[in-house]
Amino acid sequence: MIFAGSQSVIAQINQWVAPTIDWHALAPELVLIVGINLVLFIDLSLGAAKKWAMATLTGLVFLAAFIPVVTLAVIGDASREMFDGRYVVDGYSLILKAIFLLAAYVLVLMSQNELEEGGYYQGEFYVLMMCSVLGMVMMTSARDLIAIFVALELLSIPAYMMAAWRKRDSRSNEAGVKYYLLGVFASAVLLYGMSFLYGTTGSTKLTDIGASLVDGDLLGLQVLAVVFVLGGLAFKISAVPFHSWAPDTYEGAPTPVTAFLSVASKAAGFVALMSIVMLALAPANSVVRPMLWVLAALTMTVGNVMALRQTNIVRMLAYSSVSQGGFILMPLVVIGTGNAGDSVLRAVIVYLLIYAFMNLGAFSIVIAVARRTRSGEITSFGGLFGYAPGLAVLMTIFMASLAGIPPLGGWIAKFNVFKTVLDAGDTAAYVLALIGAVNTVIAAAYYMRVLRQVWMAPAPDGDVSPIKVPSSIQAALAITAVGTVLLGVLPGLVLRFGDITDLTGALAR
Amino acid sequence: MLAAIEPTTTWYLLLGAVLFGLGSVGLLVRRNPLVMFMSIELMLNAVNISFVALAVRFGDISGQTAVFFVMVVAAAEVVVGLGIIVSIMRRRPGATADDLAELKG
């Protein structure tokens, strides 16, 4: 009698009461929503000559959305729960919201010139970018399968369009369609897993699912659900073996969009993974741990080995970002072992923040240099030190940071990751740390190859006139360079993120 | 005799699994971007069937709400996907997934 329950569904509708809404906690999202409409309508009425104002306006909206994040962080340590605890604003989500808004602001600075000079539909681009950022900001607070799914789609669907933005360029089209087909496929896989999670636990709320799963006594369907959910999310963070779209999409898409995908979109995937794994799937550790272990080890290794053979700088950075994703996955593997609760979150969040700075910085340099050389080859960086010493020094900082050389930010990020993994103290963790260490060395090889071009090789076509860097890209470079260096020299700034107990507290409840 | 057979939740889940399998096989086997895309839609509908079947089993409304979200999101994805596919077909009529191989390595 499977329709026995249908009566009570009607009853549930009648029992519905309007939820109380905490407007202050929702303020960052509301500011973004208002901003999206504002930019959309102003864009309609603005002449082509004044389209440059859209970038400024978008930047201001991101900064305006930053204000409530700061006030919320200053006011309270208590987490604000809405909709029956399915949408939570706590320390964890506020830090991540701040990271996304900051990265989005830098990305606006990076895209401005590219869009203006290419004459690509500026207003629409920024509207889509803001929609995607809204999805990311929502993702940090989502504590429910449906909320996570909606946030994930809200951030992905505009990104599909942005990847295909140069619509008369067949490479950009190809980037878009590959990203789109695999992205939607991943969503379907993720959803199928979610439907089984819901079906075997009776709830879509993450903490309820976590309470219903029993370790060592998982149903077959539950194991399948966990595998599908992790597989679907692995696409979004471009973990090997689900990474095949990433290099093609990154190479074909306009460079600012590539930066957006490899930093913001990937970070959002990690946020979804973190929330789901920590809150819902923690009791299913016997399935989650081996799977994440394999994903992390494969992602680091394959990403690095492929990056070694690349001659195109964007494609190299694409594989490099795949392998960095493997490093970010490492701490998630040791969730639930020993006292690795807070330190896992801290390691991942600190890595995401520093990775955002250094990767956006590297892409800003690529954009600045490619404006002159019109080439994506690594050899086009030859002799950069001779005619653009400033850019050369900054490129050195970003590459060294990506390689994890002290005292730059990337080193602190890697240090945290390795410390967390080693703290777990079992054989699997030690082996993973060993694989990570070998990969750090391999990674240094291809980052240094770029630096060798920058410092030692001659300029490829003998053209040594200085590069004019537009002021917006200068600003982006300044922000990212300061972030990369400062977090490396003063790691205390971010290591205080340790008080992210809200999420782990919810786990214990 | 026929009237005595009551479909159970398992039946619906099996139907969902079959549809999901058909969709994923279609995605791997077919080379036309439009047909690949239709295969994915089939997979999303398989998800809907299993959500509804499980929601009815629990007598719980959140599974049925999920279906509405999936349908709306799938519609939004259709709009974007068709836009991208049309812009490719305009440049290269009759292009298949194998033709989209400019980016490699």
Side-chain angles (χ1 to χ4, degrees):
Chain A
M1 289 310 291
I2 66 156
F3 294 113
S6 55
Q7 201 59 47
S8 65
V9 170
I10 305 294
Q12 282 175 46
I13 296 170
N14 291 331
Q15 286 157 17
W16 191 81
V17 280
T20 50
I21 292 177
D22 184 346
W23 295 103
H24 189 191
L26 279 178
E29 287 87 344
L30 293 175
V31 170
L32 279 174
I33 292 172
V34 171
I36 289 167
N37 291 301
L38 207 63
V39 171
L40 192 61
F41 282 107
I42 293 181
D43 177 57
L44 278 179
S45 58
L46 219 56
K50 287 187 183 153
K51 291 282 188 200
W52 57 267
M54 305 322 299
T56 317
L57 192 61
T58 309
L60 286 177
V61 171
F62 286 139
L63 292 183
F66 209 89
I67 296 171
V69 173
V70 173
T71 58
L72 280 168
V74 169
I75 285 176
D77 42 4
S79 69
R80 293 152 177 263
E81 298 191 355
M82 274 168 285
F83 310 114
D84 190 23
R86 285 156 207 266
Y87 199 85
V88 178
V89 177
D90 53 14
Y92 163 82
S93 67
L94 284 177
I95 290 171
L96 288 165
K97 277 177 215 241
I99 294 178
F100 284 128
L101 290 171
L102 188 69
Y105 182 71
V106 174
L107 279 157
V108 171
L109 292 175
M110 287 166 67
S111 349
Q112 199 170 355
N113 279 85
E114 180 100 353
L115 289 170
E116 255 174 57
E117 284 156 23
Y120 309 122
Y121 322 95
Q122 291 181 57
E124 292 86 341
F125 182 88
Y126 291 118
V127 169
L128 289 179
M129 185 169 163
M130 285 157 89
C131 288
S132 190
V133 172
L134 175 64
M136 293 165 193
V137 169
M138 278 175 61
M139 176 69 84
T140 62
S141 291
R143 301 284 188 276
D144 181 278
L145 291 181
I146 301 175
I148 285 181
F149 168 68
V150 170
L152 196 66
E153 293 303 316
L154 183 54
L155 75 91
S156 301
I157 293 178
Y160 302 144
M161 285 184 263
M162 284 159 71
W165 203 249
R166 285 192 300 231
K167 67 176 187 184
R168 288 186 182 76
D169 177 2
S170 61
R171 288 151 51 89
S172 186
N173 280 337
E174 185 184 331
V177 82
K178 278 183 176 166
Y179 184 32
Y180 172 76
L181 283 176
L182 286 174
V184 180
F185 173 67
S187 304
V189 172
L190 175 71
L191 269 175
Y192 201 47
M194 283 180 172
S195 77
F196 287 155
L197 265 189
Y198 163 71
T200 50
T201 59
S203 173
T204 54
K205 192 176 160 190
L206 293 185
T207 44
D208 287 354
I209 294 174
S212 304
L213 293 175
V214 186
D215 199 12
D217 192 23
L218 292 175
L219 304 170
L221 264 189
Q222 286 170 340
V223 175
L224 203 64
V226 172
V227 171
F228 274 40
V229 166
L230 291 185
L233 288 173
F235 267 100
K236 299 288 174 190
I237 59 171
S238 61
V240 179
F242 308 104
H243 70 295
S244 56
W245 59 273
D248 292 349
T249 302
Y250 287 6
E251 190 185 344
T255 317
V257 177
T258 306
F260 183 77
L261 294 179
S262 77
V263 172
S265 175
K266 171 176 280 204
F270 271 107
V271 174
L273 188 67
M274 246 190 310
S275 303
I276 290 187
V277 167
M278 294 214 71
L279 291 177
L281 302 184
N285 238 337
S286 51
V287 186
V288 173
R289 266 198 80 175
M291 207 175 152
L292 286 182
W293 194 96
V294 172
L295 280 180
L298 273 180
T299 307
M300 281 188 282
T301 315
V302 174
N304 270 333
V305 171
M306 295 300 285
L308 275 177
R309 346 181 322 196
Q310 301 307 322
T311 54
N312 181 302
I313 182 91
V314 177
R315 213 173 167 83
M316 188 212 90
L317 282 173
Y319 277 112
S320 130
S321 97
V322 169
S323 91
Q324 299 274 353
F327 283 107
I328 309 177
L329 269 176
M330 267 170 70
L332 288 172
V333 175
V334 299
I335 279 178
T337 43
N339 50 2
D342 280 1
S343 64
V344 169
L345 280 181
R346 192 191 318 146
V348 175
I349 292 175
V350 168
Y351 207 119
L352 287 177
L353 174 66
I354 294 175
Y355 171 72
F357 278 128
M358 58 195 185
N359 220 35
L360 288 178
F363 273 111
S364 305
I365 304 254
V366 171
I367 292 172
V369 174
R371 285 181 81 231
R372 222 261 322 257
T373 59
R374 295 276 154 230
S375 156
E377 297 302 304
I378 293 178
T379 47
S380 72
F381 280 76
L384 189 68
F385 179 65
Y387 58 88
L391 288 182
V393 169
L394 287 173
M395 189 64 164
T396 311
I397 291 177
F398 295 132
M399 287 290 136
S401 180
L402 281 166
I405 294 172
L408 297 163
W411 176 71
I412 293 295
K414 286 215 166 67
F415 174 79
N416 257 323
V417 163
F418 279 105
K419 187 169 172 302
T420 308
V421 172
L422 290 176
D423 276 350
D426 56 3
T427 322
Y430 286 139
V431 175
L432 187 64
L434 188 70
I435 297 175
V438 171
N439 271 299
T440 314
V441 179
I442 302 178
Y446 57 83
Y447 294 126
M448 291 309 134
R449 210 174 47 172
V450 176
L451 293 185
R452 196 174 65 91
Q453 287 289 332
V454 168
W455 290 87
M456 317 235 256
D461 46 3
D463 180 5
V464 290
S465 54
I467 291 183
K468 251 201 215 135
V469 182
S471 55
S472 60
I473 294 187
Q474 279 177 11
L477 282 171
I479 295 174
T480 52
V482 167
T484 308
V485 175
L486 207 63
L487 293 180
V489 181
L490 303 170
L493 286 180
V494 285
L495 294 188
R496 270 203 238 133
F497 285 2
D499 45 2
I500 320 168
T501 46
D502 296 325
L503 190 65
T504 39
L507 190 64
R509 212 180 293 150
Chain B
M1 260 322 264
L2 274 177
I5 301 175
E6 275 278 334
T8 60
T9 312
T10 320
W11 292 31
Y12 291 100
L13 287 184
L14 281 178
L15 175 65
V18 168
L19 282 181
F20 194 84
L22 280 178
S24 28
V25 169
L27 183 74
L28 295 174
V29 172
R30 301 300 294 266
R31 296 288 79 180
N32 183 326
L34 270 176
V35 178
M36 290 168 81
F37 174 57
M38 282 158 62
S39 305
I40 296 175
E41 288 297 307
L42 200 58
M43 294 167 74
L44 286 173
N45 283 321
V47 171
N48 283 346
I49 288 179
S50 68
F51 256 124
V52 170
L54 293 164
V56 169
R57 182 172 148 246
F58 282 120
D60 178 50
I61 200 165
S62 52
Q64 311 215 17
T65 344
V67 174
F68 284 104
F69 282 101
V70 175
M71 287 197 296
V72 171
V73 166
E77 272 167 349
V78 172
V79 173
V80 171
L82 285 183
I84 295 175
I85 293 173
V86 163
S87 83
I88 285 189
M89 291 300 181
R90 260 204 202 142
R91 290 184 51 83
R92 285 189 282 183
T96 68
D98 296 323
D99 298 335
L100 300 172
E102 266 184 71
L103 303 162
K104 261 190 196 150

